[in-house]
Amino acid sequence: MTAETPVDAVPRPPAAKKMPVERTHHGDTFTDSYEWLREKDNPEVTAHLTAENAYTEAVTRGQEQLRERIFSEIKNRTQETDLSVPARKKGWWYYSRTEEGKQYGIQCRVAAVDTGDLAADWTPPEVVPGRPVEGEQVLLDGNLLAEGKPFFSLGGLAVSEDGSLLAYCEDNAGDERFTLRVKDLESGELLPDEVANVFYGLGFSPDGTRVFYTVVDDSWRPFQVKVHTLGTPVEEDEVLYQEDDVAMWTGFELSANRTQLLISVGSSEYSEYRVLDLTTPGAELTTLISRDERILYEAEPVRLGGVLHYVLTHNREAKNSMVSLVAASEFARPLKDQQWTTVVPHDDAVRVNGAAVTRTHLVLSVRRDTTERVQVLHLEGLGTPAQAAPAEPAFEEALITSNLANAEFDSPIIRLSYTSFLTPPRIYDYVLATGELALRKETEVLGGYRPERYVAERQWAKAADGTLLPLSVLRRADLRQDGSNPALVYAYGSYEVSMDPGFSVARLSLLDRGIVYVVAHVRGGGEMGRTWYEQGKKLNKKNTFTDFVDATDHLVGSGWVDPRRIAAMGGSAGGLLMGAVANLAPEKYRAIVAQVPFVDALTTILDPELPLSALEWEEWGNPITDPEVYRYMKEYTPYENVRAAEYPRIAAVTSFNDTRVLYVEPAKWVAELREKTTGSEPIVLKTEMDGGHGGASGRYARWKDVAWDYAFAADALGATEVQPFTDA
């Protein structure tokens, strides 16, 4: 609906029928009128969702031209025919490319050469968009694989060590149930091996005869690591490890030197590693540190002086984590007797996120001053008084994100990704021996993008309890601080996930319309270290919601924003935040966009049979066994706290095949909102019937999804037209 739409032209929303059922826990009974919408195979459910889509289309028809304009802006700024920077593995350079008009990427490689000149041998070949690459071999064309299928997504790619085989996983429904296939890269033919219903992650054994993969249980929890021997029946695949604790997540990776299979079992609070020596036939899994020690850690093997050690990134007496070096033989002793050598000490101001190794160096991922960056240490002298200080690639901007993109074990360089709110993604090669940075690519933004026309700055809002909340505030440089500008506030705030600085072509469409775009780094995320996360989880979860409202109040007081023209947006757990904020302060927002929103959290987490529910206990608490957790969640879970209030314009966007946040949650929430609201603003539900947690597949389909969400918000804010720049 647009501001000009006459009231009598607004269609009537579909009314979900009521079929009350009771849910009783800890002496509390909740009557749920819309739980029947969970019956995914019920024709009445699909009919209702179809009717909701028709209503949404009718209500937002006036935004169609705006959506098309935003989509075109995204498309016209994007280099559609493009290539990634080739990355070397053994005797090949691997890269992906996209072509104009095609939805999906194409995976390719060209042969590498070894001349003995390290600088030359590790300088990627020049690849130019639109120009054929001499000697190119197409490994996988997503466009061909997706033909005739409603959905297409890859869940993993792996190339054997000798470069002769490619394993990949394909999803054609959006439910993250992948099929594993193996391609002979010499003949181009698929092998007869095919494994259905696998999860993310693949890996070849060093000799290329076996493929490791994971399997989920009925609640969509990865619980098994299995191995398929090529040429044998799938029924004979061996279960290498099975995790029966419903609150633990299982995954695996191959060590950097490809000598060990590392199986990780854990939660956000503690973990356990099982390792398998791949160089010794008949070797069995061994445990490094038992979960009973309640240590959260990651492990990577490394040989120093011919002795096997493990680099541990851990939180043992280190809330923000630290790095230690431990000889492999130490793990046979009780923990209290083990000798651990400190490599990176604990620092209250620095969060250590992980470590990777090459043959010569240790590469650290750390977060300081809210931003993520990379540090490098030479393995020579590691853990001794001769250990050198870590080197850190230097960049000019303050609000940046720098990550390790690739670190092949034998490579003399590591590859870094770099971006900021105003700088498009860059790829650098960092020479380990000298610290030299070589810029390999900066993503081109078409249409005359000029970063000096925009400002990205850090502001600090004060929460009700006095905590200072970091905000990233983006705006056009020519906006006036006169309290007249529209704003969109975005946040996530869960699972220690940080909303790091990053460039967005799509976001320019909002900024160019004069919208101040704000990322609120609320508690529950990881921007300010482990304590920041802990202050926004379990019985502190409400801080996430009140932080968002306090951030909004700060913006109003800053003089940049019109209090009558503020929209809010968030997805998944950030969608729960949107639902909570709608109940807390509906009067502060002109519109709310809730993407795949986790708004019926208590119902979901009370049922351990539902997908991923048991894994959520570490984040929210266990309301099944703990009456205090139940009471606390009952006070904020959005669906159960909808009240008689004048709710703003709300769009709930979901996918029918989402396995992480089921469509039923926003469907129930929208029905309840419509029943309780005392206002006249439309509340709509948009369901992608062939999509998953990330929406529809394909880059053009994703751009259309973003354009829809942005148009909904911009229309509500009265910011539909691009304003000319004063410096033009």
Side-chain angles (χ1 to χ4, degrees), residues 193-454:
D193 305 80
E194 186 173 296
V195 185
N197 294 321
V198 307
F199 197 55
Y200 293 100
L202 293 172
F204 276 101
S205 61
D207 62 6
T209 63
R210 298 177 295 163
V211 182
F212 303 105
Y213 63 94
T214 57
V215 177
V216 296
D217 62 14
D218 291 340
S219 68
W220 208 239
R221 175 185 66 97
F223 81 121
Q224 287 181 336
V225 176
K226 301 182 73 172
V227 60
H228 173 71
T229 300
L230 298 180
T232 66
V234 173
E235 294 75 21
E236 297 179 6
D237 286 4
E238 179 187 357
V239 177
L240 294 177
Y241 180 77
Q242 177 170 314
E243 176 56 50
D244 294 323
D245 186 336
V246 297
M248 302 290 275
W249 185 286
T250 304
F252 75 88
E253 61 182 347
L254 270 71
S255 62
N257 59 15
R258 297 300 189 265
T259 63
Q260 294 188 9
L261 181 73
L262 308 170
I263 297 178
S264 58
V265 184
S267 66
S268 67
E269 299 179 346
Y270 54 89
S271 57
E272 177 177 277
Y273 268 71
R274 309 287 180 98
V275 300
L276 179 67
D277 183 353
L278 298 176
T279 65
T280 304
E284 296 183 351
L285 286 173
T286 60
T287 301
L288 297 184
I289 306 167
S290 168
R291 71 190 69 182
D292 296 335
E293 303 292 352
R294 291 303 192 260
I295 296 173
L296 185 64
Y297 70 102
E298 296 178 359
E300 182 68 40
V302 60
R303 285 196 173 273
L304 299 176
V307 178
L308 178 63
H309 290 74
Y310 285 89
V311 174
L312 299 183
T313 304
H314 65 91
N315 70 346
R316 184 186 184 192
E317 300 179 1
K319 177 167 286 194
N320 270 342
S321 292
M322 60 184 291
V323 179
S324 297
L325 186 65
V326 185
S329 58
E330 291 293 313
F331 294 113
R333 307 168 62 187
L335 180 64
K336 62 181 178 63
D337 297 329
Q338 294 175 16
Q339 297 297 311
W340 292 22
T341 301
T342 297
V343 173
V344 177
H346 179 256
D347 187 334
D348 286 333
V350 179
R351 177 76 164 101
V352 181
N353 292 323
V357 298
T358 71
R359 187 175 294 280
T360 58
H361 286 77
L362 176 67
V363 185
L364 304 171
S365 172
V366 302
R367 182 180 299 280
R368 186 176 66 244
D369 298 330
T370 77
T371 62
E372 192 164 8
R373 58 199 72 213
V374 172
Q375 295 180 341
V376 179
L377 278 165
H378 204 292
L379 290 182
E380 185 177 345
L382 195 71
T384 74
Q387 176 181 308
E392 183 176 304
F395 300 104
E396 294 180 359
E397 294 177 276
L399 300 181
I400 68 161
T401 301
S402 177
N403 288 316
L404 177 66
N406 188 50
E408 280 299 306
F409 186 68
D410 291 313
S411 173
I413 63 99
I414 59 173
R415 179 153 292 168
L416 305 179
S417 63
Y418 172 91
T419 186
S420 77
F421 287 119
L422 303 182
T423 302
R426 292 176 179 171
I427 295 296
Y428 288 94
D429 279 349
Y430 178 86
V431 182
L432 291 168
T434 65
E436 177 188 359
L437 271 177
L439 177 63
R440 298 303 186 191
K441 178 179 181 179
E442 178 171 329
T443 301
E444 184 177 5
V445 181
L446 306 180
Y449 168 68
R450 292 165 53 183
E452 67 273 13
R453 285 178 161 178
Y454 306 91

Side-chain angles (χ1 to χ4, degrees), residues 362-651:
L362 176 67
V363 185
L364 304 171
S365 172
V366 302
R367 182 180 299 280
R368 186 176 66 244
D369 298 330
T370 77
T371 62
E372 192 164 8
R373 58 199 72 213
V374 172
Q375 295 180 341
V376 179
L377 278 165
H378 204 292
L379 290 182
E380 185 177 345
L382 195 71
T384 74
Q387 176 181 308
E392 183 176 304
F395 300 104
E396 294 180 359
E397 294 177 276
L399 300 181
I400 68 161
T401 301
S402 177
N403 288 316
L404 177 66
N406 188 50
E408 280 299 306
F409 186 68
D410 291 313
S411 173
I413 63 99
I414 59 173
R415 179 153 292 168
L416 305 179
S417 63
Y418 172 91
T419 186
S420 77
F421 287 119
L422 303 182
T423 302
R426 292 176 179 171
I427 295 296
Y428 288 94
D429 279 349
Y430 178 86
V431 182
L432 291 168
T434 65
E436 177 188 359
L437 271 177
L439 177 63
R440 298 303 186 191
K441 178 179 181 179
E442 178 171 329
T443 301
E444 184 177 5
V445 181
L446 306 180
Y449 168 68
R450 292 165 53 183
E452 67 273 13
R453 285 178 161 178
Y454 306 91
V455 173
E457 62 185 9
R458 172 58 41 82
Q459 295 184 17
W460 295 88
K462 182 174 286 190
D465 63 3
T467 301
L468 292 179
L469 313 171
L471 310 181
S472 296
V473 181
L474 285 65
R475 56 178 172 82
R476 287 170 46 141
D478 60 357
L479 289 188
R480 294 182 178 180
Q481 193 175 358
D482 59 6
S484 68
N485 302 303
L488 187 148
V489 188
Y490 177 87
Y492 186 74
S494 292
Y495 304 107
E496 204 179 356
V497 172
S498 300
M499 297 294 102
D500 290 324
F503 186 79
S504 167
V505 163
R507 191 170 56 221
L508 295 175
S509 291
L510 296 180
L511 297 177
D512 286 356
R513 287 170 169 80
I515 296 174
V516 178
Y517 189 98
V518 181
V519 181
H521 303 286
V522 295
R523 282 175 283 187
E527 290 89 344
M528 300 283 283
R530 185 72 180 186
T531 299
W532 195 255
Y533 167 51
E534 293 175 348
Q535 289 179 355
K537 66 181 293 191
K538 291 188 173 177
L539 296 179
N540 293 317
K541 188 62 201 171
K542 291 179 186 178
N543 285 335
T544 304
F545 316 138
T546 56
D547 282 358
F548 190 91
V549 175
D550 291 337
T552 303
D553 290 340
H554 167 85
L555 292 171
V556 172
S558 73
W560 284 106
V561 172
D562 182 344
R564 298 161 300 178
R565 302 175 71 197
I566 301 175
M569 181 179 291
S572 197
L576 182 151
L577 169 59
M578 294 299 100
V581 165
N583 291 331
L584 276 175
E587 73 284 355
K588 294 183 185 292
Y589 304 96
R590 187 72 185 89
I592 293 176
V593 179
Q595 303 154 319
V596 288
F598 187 39
V599 283
D600 192 19
L602 186 53
T603 299
T604 296
I605 297 174
L606 282 168
D607 186 352
E609 300 301 317
L610 289 176
L612 305 179
S613 287
L615 294 170
E616 298 290 350
W617 296 338
E618 68 196 57
E619 181 73 16
W620 317 95
N622 187 346
I624 299 173
T625 59
D626 190 331
E628 178 66 6
V629 170
Y630 177 90
R631 178 200 62 77
Y632 190 78
M633 290 191 70
K634 173 101 174 157
E635 290 175 355
Y636 71 71
T637 193
Y639 176 57
E640 297 183 34
N641 285 281
V642 175
R643 57 190 175 88
E646 191 170 334
Y647 283 92
R649 194 173 305 192
I650 294 176

Side-chain angles (χ1 to χ4, degrees), residues 36-51 656 663 689:
W36 69 274
L37 288 168
R38 193 177 299 278
E39 301 167 14
K40 189 175 182 181
D41 295 329
N42 183 342
E44 290 188 71
V45 171
T46 52
H48 176 73
L49 296 178
T50 301
F656 192 51
Y663 72 89
M689 300 305 289

